[in-house]
Amino acid sequence: MKNPYIAKKHWEYELPPLSRTDEMAKRYDDIINLSVGDPDYPADKTCLDLMYRDALAGHTRYTEYYGDPELREETIKMYKEDYGVDVAMNELLITAGGTHALYVVMQTILDPGDEVIAIAPYYTYYKDQVEMAEGKLVVYNAPADKRFDVEVEELEKLVNSRTKAIIVNSPCNPSGKVYSRENLQAIMDLAEKYDFQVIADDIYGALNYTDNKMPLCTYEERPNRVITVYSYSKDLSATGVRLGHIIARSDIIDAALNVCGGVTFTICSFSQRFGLYALRRRKEIQEGLRAEYQKRMLYAYERISKLNHVKCFYPEGTFYIFADIRETGISSMDMWDKILDEAKVLVLPGDGFGKAGEGYIRICCTVSVEVLKEAFDRLEKMDIFK
Ligand code: PLP
């Protein structure tokens, strides 16, 4: 799109697979769409009713710049109750979801040329977010044959004087991986040794099916080295409410507030009321959604185990199955098309999540078990998986 009306930096831009799914989904009429991580579990009706009531009562105006004070207090209470972590009012900033939070963090901490390490396979938009802040994304390819565990000595080789941060997403999109305590502690030690920040993209915390549930913010006494990014999208099944927050040391939060001033000013006031009630009801909401997604993940895992030339790890977290198709000898991109054309099932190619994802496809369990059954019945009929 070479065009004098568009900034040159966008001329060479190639859409990531995730942004092409709308167009792919139109290829056939009876597609089963397992491509986008948009949970089908309904947003909580009680919270929606209370949000509506509050909107009618006047919560339709700008809120305080750091966010609705009641929501901030409730958030602080949640960190204390769930994790024993103390967060101060000036260490917290409400955002319009996780994507916005990550964008704001990058704009806040990066000077041109600064580096951020991502552990691949990683969430597609990290690269854009770092580059929009004129930083450089440095990719550590977690070894697929070691279940995507981080080999810290290898990771350390990527650190240099320009390293400003590392992004850690556990449970991870797309791999569903929950990094071990040893891995997380080793990353924290590395950050301490070389003095950089750890951005904890903690947006699937409620969808962790292991015993290792403590987020990175619990690895230190007060917010200092960890910048936590939280979202209501997946953990409270409210992607369209566009709500999240950042927790970090107060100097970072103050600078992030300046960035927000020019991007969103304040965050939607009635979304923040939804957030307040969702946090209060989080235990009941999350119990239901965790059970539902875990059930689906186990179902998908069992069906994949019965297919030939494809395998996956036992589900640890999220609602994504990252299936290893290397044995077929077909690239992720070709398999993306093949599955769509032969089975009318839309997944995502693994290499859209960094080089470590080549030879994988991502399957979202964001449909019921009945629909998943139909999807796997179709996949089972493909010659390549017989
Ligand atoms: N981080 C990860 C790892 C994600 O998977 C997503 C969405 O899928 C986001 C951040 C952004 O989510 P949202 O902007 O809906 O909060």
Side-chain angles (χ1 to χ4, degrees):
M1 42 153 162
K2 200 166 174 183
N3 179 333
Y5 299 113
I6 294 169
K8 291 188 187 66
K9 64 184 171 201
H10 299 301
W11 287 4
E12 301 297 321
Y13 188 77
E14 218 182 285
L15 277 184
L18 188 56
S19 302
R20 290 173 45 204
T21 51
D22 278 354
E23 159 215 321
M24 301 274 285
K26 289 185 192 134
R27 198 179 288 177
Y28 304 105
D29 285 339
D30 54 343
I31 276 177
I32 299 180
N33 194 338
L34 308 180
S35 66
V36 183
D38 196 355
D40 62 325
Y41 196 85
D44 185 69
K45 180 162 182 327
T46 307
C47 298
L48 289 171
D49 286 341
L50 290 167
M51 172 184 84
Y52 183 57
R53 184 201 66 183
D54 286 0
L56 291 177
H59 283 277
T60 49
R61 304 177 62 181
Y62 293 136
T63 62
E64 282 185 17
Y65 301 138
Y66 286 96
D68 181 319
E70 273 187 90
L71 173 60
R72 285 156 59 214
E73 272 159 24
E74 198 63 39
T75 308
I76 288 170
K77 215 167 127 202
M78 171 177 82
Y79 278 89
K80 186 71 187 169
E81 274 176 24
D82 293 2
Y83 308 125
V85 172
D86 287 309
V87 178
M89 281 294 251
N90 61 356
E91 292 167 337
L92 165 65
L93 178 67
I94 306 298
T95 66
T99 307
H100 174 235
L102 285 163
Y103 175 83
V104 168
V105 167
M106 300 311 169
Q107 294 290 334
T108 302
I109 67 170
L110 297 182
D111 279 316
D114 280 347
E115 298 186 2
V116 177
I117 300 175
I119 303 169
Y122 61 85
Y123 176 55
T124 316
Y125 291 110
Y126 291 158
K127 186 165 186 293
D128 292 334
Q129 285 161 336
V130 168
E131 289 177 359
M132 278 189 277
E134 296 183 59
K136 181 175 164 207
L137 190 80
V138 175
V139 178
Y140 165 72
N141 288 303
D145 294 327
K146 298 206 166 130
R147 303 177 67 95
F148 297 118
D149 278 329
V150 173
E151 293 184 306
V152 182
E153 309 76 52
E154 293 303 310
L155 179 66
E156 187 168 4
K157 291 182 187 157
L158 302 180
V159 178
N160 63 49
S161 59
R162 295 308 304 262
T163 306
K164 218 45 186 290
I166 181 168
I167 313 174
V168 182
N169 173 221
S170 178
C172 172
N173 171 15
S175 65
K177 169 100 192 154
V178 173
Y179 296 104
S180 67
R181 277 200 74 79
E182 293 70 35
N183 258 186
L184 295 176
Q185 187 57 56
I187 292 170
M188 286 296 288
D189 293 346
L190 213 56
E192 198 64 44
K193 181 170 169 192
Y194 294 99
D195 192 19
F196 58 80
Q197 292 280 310
V198 179
I199 303 169
D201 184 2
D202 281 345
I203 89 155
Y204 296 95
L207 298 175
N208 181 331
Y209 315 123
T210 72
D211 294 335
N212 169 26
K213 292 192 190 340
M214 291 312 243
L216 270 163
C217 65
T218 63
Y219 285 58
E220 58 182 10
E221 285 191 359
R222 301 210 33 77
N224 178 39
R225 196 161 290 287
V226 177
I227 302 176
T228 298
V229 166
Y230 180 87
S231 167
Y232 291 69
S233 289
K234 322 286 166 142
D235 274 11
L236 291 155
S237 214
T239 42
V241 173
R242 309 307 301 138
L243 191 65
H245 62 242
I246 303 167
I247 289 180
R249 31 187 294 164
S250 61
D251 45 8
I252 292 184
I253 290 294
D254 281 346
L257 185 70
N258 289 342
V259 175
C260 268
V263 181
T264 41
F265 196 50
T266 62
I267 306 304
C268 172
S269 47
F270 45 89
S271 287
Q272 296 191 61
R273 300 309 287 177
F274 175 93
L276 168 66
Y277 301 118
L279 290 191
R280 287 187 185 154
R281 287 174 52 73
R282 69 187 180 283
K283 298 225 161 93
E284 329 167 41
I285 299 173
Q286 290 176 343
E287 212 175 292
L289 69 92
R290 187 184 302 111
E292 179 59 28
Y293 287 119
Q294 191 173 13
K295 180 177 83 185
R296 295 176 188 181
M297 293 282 278
L298 288 175
Y299 177 79
Y301 169 76
E302 274 160 22
R303 290 296 303 262
I304 287 176
S305 313
K306 290 186 189 131
L307 298 178
N308 270 327
H309 309 303
V310 56
K311 54 185 185 244
C312 67
F313 299 131
Y314 190 81
E316 295 183 348
T318 72
F319 38 61
Y320 306 110
I321 295 272
F322 209 47
D324 182 349
I325 52 150
R326 286 175 295 172
E327 238 181 73
T328 63
I330 298 178
S331 73
S332 298
M333 284 303 248
D334 288 345
M335 188 59 92
W336 188 29
D337 265 314
K338 190 173 172 64
I339 291 180
L340 182 60
D341 291 335
E342 292 182 26
K344 312 234 171 61
V345 174
L346 183 58
V347 295
L348 274 186
D351 64 340
F353 301 94
K355 217 172 91 201
E358 174 50 50
Y360 286 76
I361 51 166
R362 193 192 75 173
I363 300 171
C364 282
C365 296
T366 44
V367 294
S368 65
V369 168
E370 292 69 47
V371 181
L372 278 178
K373 178 178 179 309
E374 167 65 21
F376 280 103
D377 288 349
R378 292 185 191 183
L379 292 177
E380 214 171 50
K381 290 192 187 109
M382 287 175 64
D383 283 342
I384 193 94
F385 297 133
K386 275 186 186 155

